[in-house]
């Protein structure tokens, strides 16, 4: 198993097994990301003509200078491989999926669920969403979706998701089994657009330091942030830890809107520019909710796009301290060019730049010299303790991603303690998730977890049951590796229980109790 932090692993795994049915992506989101849709290109008689049209589009719109003569007579995919990793050709089927996203088709009933023993277990119901108003509650099991039995069928996750999602106003029939009731109940739920805050958690770390976790930049992120700051200030907040780890981005307008809340008036936040796109500057307007007060922003290798725009502005303008690891390096503005056969071209037309002129986008140069320069830079930055890094391990498919992203002011290494092959098996087989939802969820109440969050841990009886459960899942217990991973296993179970009973806020409260970056932020803000 690839080494990573406990934090990143739990985030990724938790959200890989739940669905927020009310989440949606619409045209506005993709447009704000830089995606714009041109009118359809004219009729293309064959693939050769399409290649010629693509080269013409590249010549007129691509972010950099391109030698068009070198692109002729190449297959479409090979042609685009000469550009950047985010300029791609979409065949009709893929382009259609993209068009559905542009149409705002991601709406649902407002639930999160987990596939437990081939049954859909409802782990969270968004308050006031369609499912909640219909009477569906946490702990319910979904046996049937419309005419399809899903319980015991081992259906692929994507098929289950596809049967629940749908356009606003359409209905889905669900056969639900309530806890303690042997007779299923039939619910008819009208799908709708469910409001889900992009603020995952907002609470006080100590008497004067607040914590706000943002997982993506949505249409109302800046307003949600203002409300969170208002509440936290009422509790005495004078300093703020803003957590943007694993935040893959979102609306550009949301990033600039949030920057308005923490930066002084008339400050440059970011600018975009390309060979065929003139420079466009984005400035603050002032009057923000947290223009004063010490600020720390947490980032990691999965913080991208809008996250990097905000972190870069804070760093360049010396507004706060950036803590963590170098961010992803996604700083491209793209435009979509559709063709009449249903296919489309997503082409990069500009780059994002921080106020000081740094390009956020990581490089995609090739070759050994580029690799040597990257190792030298990361050694000097403190990311590597040795320059003796294997080229074989670092360069994949002849291409190395270099530079770019936001380098933190304070670097925090990955914590890999407890990770071993035994723990990897537990994660791969989802044993800890299954144990929490199948066994522990009903042993503890939400009020008990909340009252004892800081000190809670599973007891000896729980641990013995866990060992038995591991064996029923076909995992051979290796005593030495189990002992080494035991603290990590205990913590994982705790945060998963908190996620189930207390939602995202409880999840992050539990996770942050032992988080190295949060501890570093508190130290840096002293």
């Amino acid at each position: 198993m690839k080494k990573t932090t406990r934090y990143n692993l739990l985030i990724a795994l938790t959200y890989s097994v739940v669905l927020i049915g009310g989440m949606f992506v619409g045209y506005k989101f993709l447009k704000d990301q830089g995606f714009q849709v041109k009118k359809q290109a004219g009729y293309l008689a064959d693939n050769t003509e399409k290649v010629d049209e693509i080269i013409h589009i590249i010549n007129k719109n691509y972010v950099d200078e391109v030698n068009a003569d070198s692109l002729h007579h190449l297959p479409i995919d090979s042609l685009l491989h000469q550009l950047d990793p985010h300029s791609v050709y979409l065949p009709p089927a893929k382009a259609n999926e993209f068009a559905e996203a542009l149409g705002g088709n991601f709406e649902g009933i407002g639930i999160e669920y987990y596939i437990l023993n081939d049954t859909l277990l409802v782990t969270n119901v968004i308050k006031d969403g369609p499912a909640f108003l219909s009477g569906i509650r946490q702990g319910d099991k979904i046996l049937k979706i419309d005419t399809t039995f899903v319980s015991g069928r081992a259906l692929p996750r994507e098929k289950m998701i596809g049967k629940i999602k749908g356009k606003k106003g359409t209905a889905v029939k669900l056969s639900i089994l309530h806890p303690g009731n042997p007779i299923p109940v039939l619910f008819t739920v009208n799908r709708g657009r469910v409001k889900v805050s992009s603020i995952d958690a907002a609470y006080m770390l100590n008497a004067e330091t607040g914590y706000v976790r943002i997982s993506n930049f949505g249409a109302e992120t800046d307003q949600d942030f203002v409300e969170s700051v208002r509440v936290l200030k009422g509790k005495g907040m004078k300093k703020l830890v803003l957590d943007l780890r694993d935040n893959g981005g979102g609306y550009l307008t949301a990033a600039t809107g949030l920057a308005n809340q923490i930066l002084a008036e008339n400050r440059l936040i970011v600018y975009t520019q390309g060979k065929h796109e003139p420079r466009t500057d984005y400035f603050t307007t002032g009057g923000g909710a947290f223009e004063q007060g010490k600020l720390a922003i947490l980032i990691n290798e999965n913080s991208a796009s809008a996250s990097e725009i905000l972190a870069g502005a804070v760093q360049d303008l010396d507004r706060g301290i950036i803590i963590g690891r170098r961010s992803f390096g996604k700083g491209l503005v793209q435009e979509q060019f559709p063709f009449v056969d249903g296919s489309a071209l997503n082409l990069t037309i500009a780059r994002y730049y921080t106020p000081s002129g740094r390009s956020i986008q990581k490089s995609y140069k090739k070759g050994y010299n580029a690799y040597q320069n990257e190792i030298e830079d990361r050694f000097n930055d403190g990311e590597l303790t040795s320059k003796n890094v294997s080229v074989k391990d670092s360069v994949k498919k002849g291409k190395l991603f270099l530079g770019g992203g936001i380098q933190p002011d304070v670097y925090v290494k990955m914590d890999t303690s407890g990770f071993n092959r035994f723990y990897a098996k537990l994660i791969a087989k989802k044993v800890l998730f299954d144990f929490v939802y199948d066994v522990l969820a009903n042993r503890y109440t939400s009020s008990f977890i909340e009252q004892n969050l800081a000190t809670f841990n599973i007891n000896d009886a729980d641990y013995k049951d866990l060992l038995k459960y591991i064996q029923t899942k076909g995992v051979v217990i290796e005593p030495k590796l189990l002992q080494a991973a035991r603290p990590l296993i205990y913590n994982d179970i705790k945060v998963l229980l908190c996620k189930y009973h207390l939602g995202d806020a409880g999840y992050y409260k539990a996770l942050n109790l032992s988080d190295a970056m949060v501890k570093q932020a508190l130290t840096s803000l002293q």
Side-chain angles (χ1 to χ4, degrees):
M1 182 177 68
K2 182 180 178 182
K3 289 184 177 180
T4 184
T5 60
R6 174 167 67 243
Y7 182 94
N8 292 337
L9 183 62
L10 279 172
I11 295 292
L13 287 170
T14 299
Y15 286 98
S16 71
V17 296
V18 297
L19 166 71
I20 302 180
M23 293 293 283
F24 66 95
V25 179
Y27 173 78
K28 184 177 185 299
F29 172 80
L30 291 165
K31 185 177 180 182
D32 280 337
Q33 282 282 59
F35 285 108
Q36 303 172 44
V37 181
K38 291 290 188 181
K39 292 182 179 180
Q40 288 189 344
Y43 175 75
L44 301 178
D46 54 33
N47 197 61
T48 300
E49 191 171 341
K50 183 180 289 186
V51 169
D52 291 339
E53 178 65 17
I54 287 175
I55 292 174
H56 176 70
I57 293 171
I58 290 171
N59 276 331
K60 288 184 61 178
N61 300 277
Y62 190 59
V63 62
D64 295 323
E65 186 70 49
V66 176
N67 180 5
D69 293 335
S70 67
L71 302 179
H72 285 285
H73 310 301
L74 288 174
I76 292 175
D77 287 343
S78 297
L79 183 159
L80 294 174
H81 285 164
Q82 308 303 310
L83 306 180
D84 64 275
H86 305 288
S87 290
V88 295
Y89 171 75
L90 301 175
K94 291 291 184 183
N96 184 59
E97 291 178 14
F98 197 88
E100 288 181 355
L102 288 175
N105 201 34
F106 286 89
E107 297 168 333
I109 63 173
I111 64 169
E112 296 178 4
Y113 64 77
Y114 177 77
I115 303 173
L116 176 66
N117 300 326
D118 298 333
T119 298
L120 270 63
L121 174 70
V122 177
T123 59
N124 186 36
V125 184
I126 309 270
K127 188 176 181 181
D128 297 329
F132 182 88
L133 297 176
S134 297
I136 296 174
R137 294 294 182 264
Q138 182 186 60
D140 287 346
K141 293 179 179 179
I142 302 175
L143 306 182
K144 187 178 178 182
I145 304 173
D146 289 327
T147 59
T148 303
F149 282 97
V150 294
S151 179
R153 291 285 305 280
L155 292 177
R157 176 175 173 76
E158 57 270 16
K159 286 190 176 181
M160 292 186 181
I161 294 174
K163 291 182 180 300
I164 294 179
K165 288 194 307 183
K167 291 183 179 181
K168 178 182 178 181
T170 62
V172 59
K173 293 182 179 180
L174 302 174
S175 180
I176 299 289
L177 190 65
H178 291 307
N181 190 341
I183 302 176
V185 180
L186 183 64
F187 288 83
T188 299
V189 185
N190 290 318
R191 299 180 179 97
R193 183 167 295 176
V194 182
K195 176 175 169 53
V196 180
S197 175
S198 53
I199 307 294
D200 293 325
Y203 69 98
M204 297 297 292
L205 290 168
N206 58 34
E208 59 179 12
T209 307
Y211 170 90
V212 174
R213 159 82 185 188
I214 302 177
S215 59
N216 63 76
F217 285 91
E220 299 180 0
T221 296
D222 52 342
Q223 295 97 319
D224 292 340
F225 177 79
V226 169
E227 175 60 21
S228 296
V229 167
R230 183 190 67 79
V231 173
L232 293 177
K233 279 186 173 180
K235 297 179 180 180
M237 182 181 73
K238 297 181 176 62
K239 306 172 185 178
L240 174 63
V241 176
L242 180 58
D243 193 347
L244 301 182
R245 287 176 292 181
D246 300 301
N247 183 321
Y251 298 171
L252 169 61
T253 52
T256 56
L258 195 92
N260 277 326
Q261 303 303 326
I262 59 179
L263 299 174
E265 184 179 3
N266 201 33
R267 306 302 297 272
L268 178 63
I269 303 168
V270 66
Y271 68 90
T272 62
Q273 191 171 25
K275 182 178 185 296
H276 303 281
E277 294 289 324
R279 172 168 168 163
T280 302
D281 293 342
Y282 297 83
F283 287 92
T284 58
T285 57
F290 196 73
E291 284 188 14
Q292 304 296 324
K294 292 184 177 181
L295 173 67
I297 293 182
L298 309 184
I299 61 172
N300 65 5
E301 55 281 345
N302 296 319
S303 303
S305 192
S307 300
E308 297 172 293
I309 289 172
L310 184 62
V314 168
Q315 189 174 58
D316 282 3
L317 301 175
D318 200 27
R319 169 64 182 91
I321 186 168
I322 311 299
I323 296 171
R325 291 184 294 278
R326 186 187 300 200
S327 62
F328 183 82
K330 170 65 170 71
L332 299 179
V333 183
Q334 292 183 290
E335 193 168 302
Q336 186 182 93
F337 300 84
F339 301 107
V340 292
D341 64 353
S343 61
L345 170 68
N346 282 358
L347 186 70
T348 296
I349 62 170
R351 287 186 173 86
Y352 291 118
Y353 295 88
T354 69
S356 66
R358 292 182 292 162
S359 174
I360 292 173
Q361 178 62 35
K362 59 188 173 185
S363 176
Y364 28 88
K365 297 177 182 178
K366 300 178 180 179
Y368 182 72
N369 289 336
Y371 161 79
Q372 287 181 312
N373 292 335
E374 172 70 353
I375 296 302
E376 184 75 27
D377 288 344
R378 293 188 176 180
F379 176 78
N380 292 334
D381 288 340
E383 293 184 46
L384 299 175
T385 57
S386 171
K387 298 180 185 179
N388 298 320
V389 181
S390 167
V391 177
K392 181 179 179 181
D393 292 339
S394 302
V395 182
K396 297 181 179 179
K397 298 181 180 179
K399 187 176 287 188
L400 176 70
F401 292 100
L402 308 173
I406 303 299
Q407 176 68 22
D409 302 310
V410 179
Y411 184 78
V412 179
K413 292 183 178 180
M414 289 184 177
D415 178 10
T416 59
S417 58
F419 285 84
N420 53 45
R421 67 174 182 270
F422 174 73
Y423 178 77
K425 289 179 183 177
L426 297 183
I427 296 302
K429 290 180 173 289
K430 300 190 296 183
V431 175
L432 300 183
F433 286 90
D434 286 357
F435 179 68
V436 168
Y437 294 133
D438 198 12
V439 178
L440 291 189
N442 294 325
R443 288 189 182 179
Y444 296 94
T445 64
S446 299
S447 59
F448 177 84
I449 294 291
E450 187 169 22
Q451 292 169 9
N452 299 278
L453 190 145
T455 58
F456 170 78
N457 225 325
I458 62 172
N459 57 40
D460 291 341
D462 294 333
Y463 184 66
K464 289 178 181 178
D465 287 341
L466 171 63
L467 298 183
K468 294 177 184 176
Y469 198 84
I470 289 173
Q471 292 174 316
T472 65
K473 293 293 183 177
V475 177
V476 178
I477 294 177
E478 301 176 68
K480 289 185 178 180
L481 297 182
L482 170 63
Q483 188 60 31
R486 188 166 173 173
L488 180 55
I489 292 170
Y490 269 56
N491 195 71
D492 286 2
I493 289 174
K494 175 178 179 175
V495 298
L496 289 173
L497 262 176
C498 289
K499 164 68 177 175
Y500 182 82
H501 284 295
L502 305 178
D504 287 341
Y507 178 82
Y508 288 105
K509 284 182 180 180
L511 203 60
N512 290 339
L513 290 172
S514 58
D515 188 87
M517 287 193 198
V518 172
K519 291 180 179 179
Q520 179 61 58
L522 290 172
T523 299
S524 298
L525 290 176
Q526 290 295 324

